[in-house]
Amino acid sequence: MASVKPRVKVPKSASAGEVITIKTLISHPMESGQRKDSDGNPIPRQIINKFTCEFNGQVVFSCDIEPAVSANPYLEFTAKVNEAGTFKFTWVDDDGSVYTEEKEIALN
């Protein structure tokens, strides 16, 4: 499989109480398990099946991802920032692999 690469866009700073937009994308083929190879054998499913975003250890966004999602899933959501801290992003693959990325945000 091609290398899996998570990418995250979080503002470097925000005002206390500001709602910010977070954008994530992970490079992943998201094989649904519905296709067959050139010999007619089913290609095993391998998708990112769970995504979680935590801020200073508290979950702010989480979702289960199903096979209908396209390759390189892109997620955009908002979060309210009341203090400086670190966002931790986690993607879980069907094969048990876990990919993480962290971004810090400061208060203005």
PDB file of all heavy atoms in Angstrom, residues 13-31:
ATOM      1  N   SER A  13      -3.296  30.438  16.219  1.00  0.00           N
ATOM      2  CA  SER A  13      -3.797  31.104  17.423  1.00  0.00           C
ATOM      3  C   SER A  13      -5.262  31.457  17.234  1.00  0.00           C
ATOM      4  O   SER A  13      -5.770  31.506  16.110  1.00  0.00           O
ATOM      5  CB  SER A  13      -2.972  32.357  17.726  1.00  0.00           C
ATOM      6  OG  SER A  13      -3.133  33.302  16.694  1.00  0.00           O
ATOM      7  N   ALA A  14      -5.914  31.718  18.372  1.00  0.00           N
ATOM      8  CA  ALA A  14      -7.320  32.101  18.376  1.00  0.00           C
ATOM      9  C   ALA A  14      -7.592  32.884  19.646  1.00  0.00           C
ATOM     10  O   ALA A  14      -6.816  32.838  20.596  1.00  0.00           O
ATOM     11  CB  ALA A  14      -8.207  30.859  18.320  1.00  0.00           C
ATOM     12  N   SER A  15      -8.699  33.605  19.663  1.00  0.00           N
ATOM     13  CA  SER A  15      -9.127  34.315  20.865  1.00  0.00           C
ATOM     14  C   SER A  15      -9.875  33.336  21.768  1.00  0.00           C
ATOM     15  O   SER A  15     -10.470  32.374  21.288  1.00  0.00           O
ATOM     16  CB  SER A  15     -10.061  35.465  20.498  1.00  0.00           C
ATOM     17  OG  SER A  15      -9.417  36.359  19.619  1.00  0.00           O
ATOM     18  N   ALA A  16      -9.876  33.604  23.070  1.00  0.00           N
ATOM     19  CA  ALA A  16     -10.615  32.745  24.002  1.00  0.00           C
ATOM     20  C   ALA A  16     -12.095  32.748  23.618  1.00  0.00           C
ATOM     21  O   ALA A  16     -12.684  33.799  23.376  1.00  0.00           O
ATOM     22  CB  ALA A  16     -10.425  33.236  25.425  1.00  0.00           C
ATOM     23  N   GLY A  17     -12.669  31.576  23.503  1.00  0.00           N
ATOM     24  CA  GLY A  17     -14.071  31.430  23.144  1.00  0.00           C
ATOM     25  C   GLY A  17     -14.343  31.421  21.650  1.00  0.00           C
ATOM     26  O   GLY A  17     -15.489  31.257  21.236  1.00  0.00           O
ATOM     27  N   GLU A  18     -13.324  31.577  20.840  1.00  0.00           N
ATOM     28  CA  GLU A  18     -13.497  31.597  19.377  1.00  0.00           C
ATOM     29  C   GLU A  18     -13.779  30.197  18.840  1.00  0.00           C
ATOM     30  O   GLU A  18     -13.229  29.210  19.321  1.00  0.00           O
ATOM     31  CB  GLU A  18     -12.225  32.151  18.720  1.00  0.00           C
ATOM     32  CG  GLU A  18     -12.343  32.283  17.205  1.00  0.00           C
ATOM     33  CD  GLU A  18     -11.090  32.912  16.577  1.00  0.00           C
ATOM     34  OE1 GLU A  18     -10.246  33.453  17.319  1.00  0.00           O
ATOM     35  OE2 GLU A  18     -10.965  32.827  15.348  1.00  0.00           O
ATOM     36  N   VAL A  19     -14.646  30.140  17.849  1.00  0.00           N
ATOM     37  CA  VAL A  19     -14.918  28.884  17.154  1.00  0.00           C
ATOM     38  C   VAL A  19     -14.024  28.839  15.924  1.00  0.00           C
ATOM     39  O   VAL A  19     -14.078  29.740  15.081  1.00  0.00           O
ATOM     40  CB  VAL A  19     -16.403  28.766  16.757  1.00  0.00           C
ATOM     41  CG1 VAL A  19     -16.649  27.494  15.966  1.00  0.00           C
ATOM     42  CG2 VAL A  19     -17.285  28.801  17.998  1.00  0.00           C
ATOM     43  N   ILE A  20     -13.196  27.818  15.850  1.00  0.00           N
ATOM     44  CA  ILE A  20     -12.255  27.698  14.739  1.00  0.00           C
ATOM     45  C   ILE A  20     -12.665  26.540  13.830  1.00  0.00           C
ATOM     46  O   ILE A  20     -13.382  25.640  14.252  1.00  0.00           O
ATOM     47  CB  ILE A  20     -10.806  27.469  15.228  1.00  0.00           C
ATOM     48  CG1 ILE A  20     -10.719  26.159  16.013  1.00  0.00           C
ATOM     49  CG2 ILE A  20     -10.328  28.657  16.056  1.00  0.00           C
ATOM     50  CD1 ILE A  20      -9.308  25.689  16.243  1.00  0.00           C
ATOM     51  N   THR A  21     -12.201  26.608  12.597  1.00  0.00           N
ATOM     52  CA  THR A  21     -12.440  25.532  11.643  1.00  0.00           C
ATOM     53  C   THR A  21     -11.180  24.685  11.526  1.00  0.00           C
ATOM     54  O   THR A  21     -10.081  25.210  11.366  1.00  0.00           O
ATOM     55  CB  THR A  21     -12.811  26.101  10.263  1.00  0.00           C
ATOM     56  OG1 THR A  21     -14.009  26.871  10.406  1.00  0.00           O
ATOM     57  CG2 THR A  21     -13.039  24.991   9.252  1.00  0.00           C
ATOM     58  N   ILE A  22     -11.360  23.380  11.624  1.00  0.00           N
ATOM     59  CA  ILE A  22     -10.256  22.424  11.523  1.00  0.00           C
ATOM     60  C   ILE A  22     -10.483  21.583  10.273  1.00  0.00           C
ATOM     61  O   ILE A  22     -11.594  21.109  10.031  1.00  0.00           O
ATOM     62  CB  ILE A  22     -10.199  21.535  12.775  1.00  0.00           C
ATOM     63  CG1 ILE A  22      -9.934  22.394  14.013  1.00  0.00           C
ATOM     64  CG2 ILE A  22      -9.153  20.441  12.618  1.00  0.00           C
ATOM     65  CD1 ILE A  22     -10.074  21.653  15.323  1.00  0.00           C
ATOM     66  N   LYS A  23      -9.429  21.413   9.500  1.00  0.00           N
ATOM     67  CA  LYS A  23      -9.515  20.620   8.274  1.00  0.00           C
ATOM     68  C   LYS A  23      -8.506  19.481   8.355  1.00  0.00           C
ATOM     69  O   LYS A  23      -7.349  19.714   8.726  1.00  0.00           O
ATOM     70  CB  LYS A  23      -9.216  21.483   7.051  1.00  0.00           C
ATOM     71  CG  LYS A  23     -10.185  22.631   6.889  1.00  0.00           C
ATOM     72  CD  LYS A  23      -9.783  23.539   5.750  1.00  0.00           C
ATOM     73  CE  LYS A  23     -10.744  24.716   5.653  1.00  0.00           C
ATOM     74  NZ  LYS A  23     -10.363  25.655   4.597  1.00  0.00           N
ATOM     75  N   THR A  24      -8.947  18.256   8.032  1.00  0.00           N
ATOM     76  CA  THR A  24      -8.042  17.110   8.045  1.00  0.00           C
ATOM     77  C   THR A  24      -8.180  16.335   6.738  1.00  0.00           C
ATOM     78  O   THR A  24      -9.255  16.293   6.141  1.00  0.00           O
ATOM     79  CB  THR A  24      -8.331  16.144   9.210  1.00  0.00           C
ATOM     80  OG1 THR A  24      -9.547  15.452   8.952  1.00  0.00           O
ATOM     81  CG2 THR A  24      -8.410  16.875  10.540  1.00  0.00           C
ATOM     82  N   LEU A  25      -7.113  15.736   6.346  1.00  0.00           N
ATOM     83  CA  LEU A  25      -7.104  14.864   5.166  1.00  0.00           C
ATOM     84  C   LEU A  25      -6.053  13.794   5.408  1.00  0.00           C
ATOM     85  O   LEU A  25      -4.981  14.082   5.929  1.00  0.00           O
ATOM     86  CB  LEU A  25      -6.756  15.659   3.907  1.00  0.00           C
ATOM     87  CG  LEU A  25      -6.796  14.874   2.608  1.00  0.00           C
ATOM     88  CD1 LEU A  25      -7.392  15.733   1.501  1.00  0.00           C
ATOM     89  CD2 LEU A  25      -5.432  14.409   2.185  1.00  0.00           C
ATOM     90  N   ILE A  26      -6.374  12.565   5.081  1.00  0.00           N
ATOM     91  CA  ILE A  26      -5.383  11.504   5.197  1.00  0.00           C
ATOM     92  C   ILE A  26      -5.292  10.793   3.855  1.00  0.00           C
ATOM     93  O   ILE A  26      -6.308  10.417   3.264  1.00  0.00           O
ATOM     94  CB  ILE A  26      -5.718  10.526   6.353  1.00  0.00           C
ATOM     95  CG1 ILE A  26      -4.570   9.535   6.551  1.00  0.00           C
ATOM     96  CG2 ILE A  26      -7.044   9.840   6.157  1.00  0.00           C
ATOM     97  CD1 ILE A  26      -4.613   8.796   7.871  1.00  0.00           C
ATOM     98  N   SER A  27      -4.075  10.642   3.371  1.00  0.00           N
ATOM     99  CA  SER A  27      -3.857   9.931   2.110  1.00  0.00           C
ATOM    100  C   SER A  27      -3.991   8.441   2.390  1.00  0.00           C
ATOM    101  O   SER A  27      -3.192   7.865   3.126  1.00  0.00           O
ATOM    102  CB  SER A  27      -2.457  10.224   1.571  1.00  0.00           C
ATOM    103  OG  SER A  27      -2.308  11.596   1.350  1.00  0.00           O
ATOM    104  N   HIS A  28      -5.025   7.836   1.828  1.00  0.00           N
ATOM    105  CA  HIS A  28      -5.303   6.426   2.081  1.00  0.00           C
ATOM    106  C   HIS A  28      -6.172   5.909   0.940  1.00  0.00           C
ATOM    107  O   HIS A  28      -7.121   6.574   0.537  1.00  0.00           O
ATOM    108  CB  HIS A  28      -6.042   6.277   3.421  1.00  0.00           C
ATOM    109  CG  HIS A  28      -6.134   4.866   3.904  1.00  0.00           C
ATOM    110  ND1 HIS A  28      -7.048   3.974   3.419  1.00  0.00           N
ATOM    111  CD2 HIS A  28      -5.419   4.208   4.840  1.00  0.00           C
ATOM    112  CE1 HIS A  28      -6.883   2.813   4.044  1.00  0.00           C
ATOM    113  NE2 HIS A  28      -5.897   2.930   4.906  1.00  0.00           N
ATOM    114  N   PRO A  29      -5.906   4.706   0.412  1.00  0.00           N
ATOM    115  CA  PRO A  29      -6.676   4.225  -0.743  1.00  0.00           C
ATOM    116  C   PRO A  29      -8.127   3.881  -0.425  1.00  0.00           C
ATOM    117  O   PRO A  29      -8.968   3.852  -1.320  1.00  0.00           O
ATOM    118  CB  PRO A  29      -5.910   2.982  -1.189  1.00  0.00           C
ATOM    119  CG  PRO A  29      -5.120   2.553   0.003  1.00  0.00           C
ATOM    120  CD  PRO A  29      -4.821   3.796   0.780  1.00  0.00           C
ATOM    121  N   MET A  30      -8.471   3.600   0.849  1.00  0.00           N
ATOM    122  CA  MET A  30      -9.847   3.281   1.250  1.00  0.00           C
ATOM    123  C   MET A  30     -10.442   2.194   0.353  1.00  0.00           C
ATOM    124  O   MET A  30     -11.476   2.385  -0.301  1.00  0.00           O
ATOM    125  CB  MET A  30     -10.716   4.539   1.249  1.00  0.00           C
ATOM    126  CG  MET A  30     -10.263   5.603   2.221  1.00  0.00           C
ATOM    127  SD  MET A  30     -10.394   5.139   3.944  1.00  0.00           S
ATOM    128  CE  MET A  30     -12.111   5.476   4.259  1.00  0.00           C
ATOM    129  N   GLU A  31      -9.811   1.025   0.333  1.00  0.00           N
ATOM    130  CA  GLU A  31     -10.325  -0.106  -0.445  1.00  0.00           C
ATOM    131  C   GLU A  31     -11.579  -0.639   0.232  1.00  0.00           C
ATOM    132  O   GLU A  31     -11.519  -1.103   1.368  1.00  0.00           O
ATOM    133  CB  GLU A  31      -9.247  -1.195  -0.552  1.00  0.00           C
ATOM    134  CG  GLU A  31      -9.621  -2.337  -1.443  1.00  0.00           C
ATOM    135  CD  GLU A  31      -9.970  -1.900  -2.861  1.00  0.00           C
ATOM    136  OE1 GLU A  31      -9.155  -1.237  -3.512  1.00  0.00           O
ATOM    137  OE2 GLU A  31     -11.087  -2.212  -3.304  1.00  0.00           O
TER     138      GLU A  31
END
